Amino acid sequence: MKNSFVSIGKVLNFHGVQGEAKLGYTKNREDFLANLKEVYVQQNGEYKLLEIERIRFTPKCGIIKFKGIDSLNDILEYKNQLLFVDESTVREFLDEDEFLIDELVGLDVYDGEKKVGAVVGVSNNGASDLLSIKTLSKKVSLVPFVKAIVLSVDIKARKIQINNIEGLLE
C-alpha cells in the first residue's frame, strides 16, 4: 500500500548555527506539531525521514531541531522544503468537524435536495476556512466553512449540505 503524505509545514530558514530551523505552519496547530516524533521531506521524488529532536514555538514560527542535523550547513539543504507526515498521523489529530482539503475538493454541494454546485478548492482568509464552490452556472463563490452555513459534510456520500442564504452563491 502506497503511503499518502500530507504537508504540515515548511522549513523557512535556519535558526542559529546549531542546526535548528524556523518552521512555518498553520496557526493553532502547536499541540499537533509538539506530538510529532518524525516528519518527511521530499528529495529527488523520494520521501526522506527526519526525526524530530525538539520543537518549540515563538509568536511568529516554530523552531525545530532534527536528530543528526547539528550545524548551519546541515540544515541549509532543507531551507524552503515542505515537511510531510503520513495522512494517518494527521487523521489521529483531526477533530470530528475537521477534514483534509483533499477530502472536500470534488464533493457535491446541496441546498436541501437541490444540487447547487461542487467544491473546487479550500482557502483561508485568516478568520475562517472558505470553500470555493463552483455553481451550476459555472461561477465560483467563496463560502465560509462555519456551522451556520455548512450544515453537514458526508465524505462517504461525497456530499456537503449548506444553508444557502440569500446572496451566498452567485
Side-chain angles (χ1 to χ4, degrees):
M1 186 179 125
K2 185 181 178 305
N3 286 13
S4 183
F5 290 97
V6 178
S7 172
I8 52 99
K10 182 178 183 178
V11 175
L12 301 174
N13 210 337
F14 63 91
H15 179 79
V17 294
Q18 304 295 316
E20 288 184 314
K22 292 180 181 177
L23 171 68
Y25 61 94
T26 304
K27 60 183 172 187
N28 302 325
R29 289 289 178 246
E30 292 84 358
D31 286 349
F32 167 69
L33 293 167
N35 280 293
L36 292 177
K37 304 277 183 260
E38 57 191 32
V39 292
Y40 295 85
V41 289
Q42 200 173 11
Q43 291 183 320
N44 306 321
E46 297 286 319
Y47 285 94
K48 177 182 171 184
L49 179 73
L50 293 175
E51 284 185 77
I52 296 172
E53 193 170 298
R54 65 180 177 267
I55 187 166
R56 65 185 196 277
F57 301 96
T58 71
K60 290 194 168 130
C61 65
I63 305 294
I64 193 165
K65 169 79 174 68
F66 301 108
K67 287 184 182 158
I69 296 178
D70 299 312
S71 74
L72 175 60
N73 287 343
D74 292 342
I75 194 64
L76 274 178
E77 75 171 281
Y78 299 105
K79 184 176 173 181
N80 295 321
Q81 288 269 14
L82 291 175
L83 298 178
F84 298 89
V85 295
D86 194 278
E87 184 181 312
S88 60
T89 304
V90 175
R91 287 191 187 285
E92 290 171 30
F93 285 90
L94 288 179
D95 289 336
E96 193 178 308
D97 59 351
E98 289 183 311
F99 305 93
L100 297 176
I101 289 173
D102 293 355
E103 293 179 308
L104 299 173
V105 173
L107 296 187
D108 289 329
V109 179
Y110 287 82
D111 178 20
E113 295 297 307
K114 182 176 168 241
K115 181 177 172 181
V116 293
V119 177
V120 293
V122 181
S123 58
N124 186 295
N125 67 0
S128 70
D129 288 324
L130 301 168
L131 296 177
S132 297
I133 296 176
K134 188 177 215 173
T135 63
L136 300 178
S137 64
K138 305 287 185 238
K139 289 199 167 97
V140 175
S141 296
L142 294 177
V143 174
F145 200 157
V146 294
K147 284 184 173 27
I149 296 172
V150 178
L151 305 176
S152 69
V153 175
D154 187 336
I155 300 294
K156 284 192 177 72
R158 308 218 23 90
K159 195 172 171 173
I160 293 179
Q161 198 70 43
I162 67 166
N163 175 14
N164 188 12
I165 54 180
E166 195 172 338
L168 186 64
L169 297 177
E170 300 270 331

